[in-house]
Amino acid sequence: MTHRTQVAIVGAGPAGLILGQLLHNAGIDSVIVERHTRDHVVERVRAGVLEQGTVDLMHEMGVGDRLAREGLRHDGIYIAFGGERHRIDLAGLTAGRAITVYGQNEVVRDLIAARERSGRPLVFEATGASVHDIDSTHPTVRYRLAGDEHEIASDFIAGCDGSHGICRLAMPSPVVHPYEREYPFAWLGILARAAPSCPELVYSLHEHGFALFSMRSTGVTRLYLQCEPDEDLQRWPDDRIWGELTTRLRTNDGWQPAVGEITQKSITPMRSVVVDPMQWGRLLLAGDAAHIVPPTGAKGLNLAAADVWRLAGAIGEFYGTGSEVGLRTYTERGLRRTWRAQRFSWWMTSTLHRSASANPFDHKRQLAELDYLVHSQAAMTSLAENYAGVPFA
Ligand code: APR
Ligand code: PHB
């Protein structure tokens, strides 16, 4: 069966769903195809820190009601080392830009509900997706659903299919340049039924390595600790996790994370990837399909939102005025923000983690970097403006 639409979107993660909503609001039709089930997409545990720009976008799209009620606005974060916690006043240093803690799965839940209200198609369990004729003005996406073959005839294909998607692989290999970096550690993350014992996030560097105190709601704490890249979760019974988290996060003022039942455990690998260019013909990549950042700056979801905001603008301009300027400059503008986020995420990662290959000099230098950071208005401002996020452009 052949469907006809303006934009075929592969992937119903935050990138694909936000794009679908922005296009809908501009009166542009799309079909979203997703290989997993709706439950899988909604229940996936991911990060939960929204930049001001992402929060503003959710409101502009008309999907910000629950976010306004349930999201936790944080005006600052803490950096901990040497037994002390130091607050970085994000809002004070950036003329009011703050972050909002709201799980990515809640963002996805709200966007799926909006998609359903819009009446535009969102196809779950679409398997074997492939893209064709991306060099032409009529590219197509083919997929299978319950054993039947389907084809979407479109004007544009948006590759929003994440880091293991198929769209990036459809770009001709000689023109695509992936820049990559592996980090020699990973994060072991847990969700715990425990009221957060600090109202803001705490990023900590301890002799044993990095730890992060975060949260999802007033009753759920989210915590991470640096571990080996090939770490075996079996080696981490709950007692060991809490022991290590407490050791790495506890500060001399007596603060430590509140302990509670662990409801989820997982390992997050740490990688940086940038795909250059982000577009080929009528195929445009957005979100994790185009770039991956290590989680230390919480930039993944926010970069995806900035990409599709730009992409929706470019497609809207094309249908509205016939101009292709936005489409032609999509890669250039996208890569600029991406590299800025890569630089920041790399800096936060390397400043806050202990590497097995580091010697005592490196560790002392890291502590000096942190000491400078928390005592210099200039250094704190630099962290704050990157962490809270510069306006989408
Ligand atoms: N066909 C259809 N859907 C696919 C295919 C395929 N061949 N390959 C992947 N997908 C779907 C995935 O199942 C997933 O739901 O594409 C979606 C991609 O979503 P995400 O991985 O969430 O990526 P993205 O939307 O770019 O979101 C950006 O921010 O916090 C970070 O990495 C985190 O999810 C993240 C992201
Ligand atoms: C999270 O809450 O999951 C989280 C917070 C901050 C990060 C990464 C993840 O840098």
Side-chain angles (χ1 to χ4, degrees):
M1 191 160 52
T2 299
H3 321 253
R4 162 85 208 144
T5 189
Q6 289 169 294
V7 184
I9 301 175
V10 185
L17 291 166
I18 296 175
L19 179 61
Q21 182 68 17
L22 288 168
L23 294 174
H24 167 69
N25 290 348
I28 298 168
D29 191 41
S30 64
V31 174
I32 307 180
V33 291
E34 163 60 49
R35 73 169 156 200
H36 285 299
T37 61
R38 178 198 169 113
D39 282 354
H40 176 93
V41 170
V42 171
E43 300 305 331
R44 252 180 330 206
V45 177
R46 295 277 182 83
V49 174
L50 309 189
E51 290 178 2
Q52 188 68 54
T54 305
V55 171
D56 294 345
L57 185 63
M58 291 285 286
H59 288 295
E60 278 163 36
M61 289 190 296
V63 294
D65 288 356
R66 202 161 66 93
L67 169 63
R69 281 198 312 276
E70 297 176 18
L72 307 171
R73 180 187 154 103
H74 289 189
D75 283 341
I77 55 167
Y78 287 91
I79 302 286
F81 60 99
E84 308 281 337
R85 257 183 311 158
H86 304 263
R87 186 166 184 272
I88 311 281
D89 178 7
L90 299 174
L93 292 161
T94 61
R97 294 180 79 75
I99 53 154
T100 298
V101 171
Y102 189 65
Q104 179 169 315
N105 53 324
E106 304 303 335
V107 172
V108 165
R109 202 189 300 275
D110 294 345
L111 288 162
I112 291 177
R115 181 74 183 178
E116 285 172 352
R117 283 196 301 276
S118 78
R120 304 218 190 244
L122 166 53
V123 184
F124 289 106
E125 299 177 68
T127 57
S130 57
V131 302
H132 306 270
D133 301 325
I134 56 175
D135 282 324
S136 80
T137 52
H138 297 290
T140 57
V141 173
R142 293 187 201 141
Y143 65 94
R144 276 190 300 282
L145 181 67
D148 292 330
E149 302 280 339
H150 293 260
E151 183 175 82
I152 309 169
S154 65
D155 299 331
F156 296 100
I157 298 174
C160 300
D161 50 349
S163 52
H164 303 293
I166 48 111
C167 289
R168 172 201 308 189
L169 303 174
M171 297 187 7
S173 51
V175 302
V176 182
H177 193 127
Y179 296 87
E180 295 187 48
R181 185 184 213 291
E182 298 279 338
Y183 296 83
F185 25 75
W187 282 8
L188 191 167
I190 62 163
L191 278 174
R193 255 191 258 280
S197 56
C198 173
E200 294 173 340
L201 274 60
V202 183
Y203 288 84
S204 173
L205 174 64
H206 183 270
E207 263 173 60
H208 293 191
F210 171 79
L212 169 61
F213 169 90
S214 178
M215 64 199 71
R216 283 293 173 274
S217 65
T218 49
V220 177
T221 309
R222 175 85 171 142
L223 299 125
Y224 297 94
L225 52 88
Q226 175 185 346
C227 62
E228 297 301 319
D230 54 355
E231 193 70 62
D232 177 4
L233 268 179
Q234 301 300 329
R235 293 181 50 242
W236 287 87
D238 295 5
D239 286 356
R240 182 176 176 210
I241 294 177
W242 283 121
E244 201 53 37
L245 282 169
T246 307
T247 301
R248 295 188 196 185
L249 285 163
R250 183 171 38 208
T251 42
N252 295 340
D253 57 4
W255 178 77
Q256 61 181 54
V259 172
E261 183 201 347
I262 297 180
T263 55
Q264 193 263 355
K265 280 186 211 180
S266 59
I267 304 278
T268 306
M270 312 270 286
R271 209 148 68 95
S272 289
V273 178
V274 177
V275 179
D276 182 356
M278 291 171 70
Q279 69 200 104
W280 185 257
R282 289 289 182 99
L283 171 66
L284 300 111
L285 304 180
D288 275 15
H291 37 66
I292 300 163
V293 282
T296 323
K299 289 287 162 226
L301 166 62
N302 297 295
L303 264 185
D307 283 345
V308 291
W309 173 82
R310 222 179 293 108
L311 181 52
I315 293 175
E317 188 180 87
F318 172 84
Y319 285 118
T321 68
S323 164
E324 296 197 21
V325 174
L327 291 167
R328 272 204 308 274
T329 56
Y330 177 68
T331 284
E332 186 190 323
R333 294 197 294 154
L335 286 180
R336 187 147 185 252
R337 190 176 188 93
T338 302
W339 278 113
R340 182 176 175 144
Q342 291 289 4
R343 182 210 69 83
F344 177 66
S345 306
W346 169 86
W347 173 80
M348 269 196 89
T349 303
S350 48
T351 304
L352 289 164
H353 289 71
R354 290 212 70 176
S355 155
S357 63
N359 63 24
F361 175 92
D362 298 321
H363 188 53
K364 287 285 188 192
R365 189 202 47 75
Q366 250 179 333
L367 294 175
E369 172 105 29
L370 289 168
D371 185 54
Y372 168 63
L373 169 67
V374 301
H375 291 102
S376 155
Q377 190 80 359
M380 281 191 286
T381 305
S382 170
L383 170 67
E385 85 178 351
N386 283 288
Y387 194 85
V390 293
F392 290 179

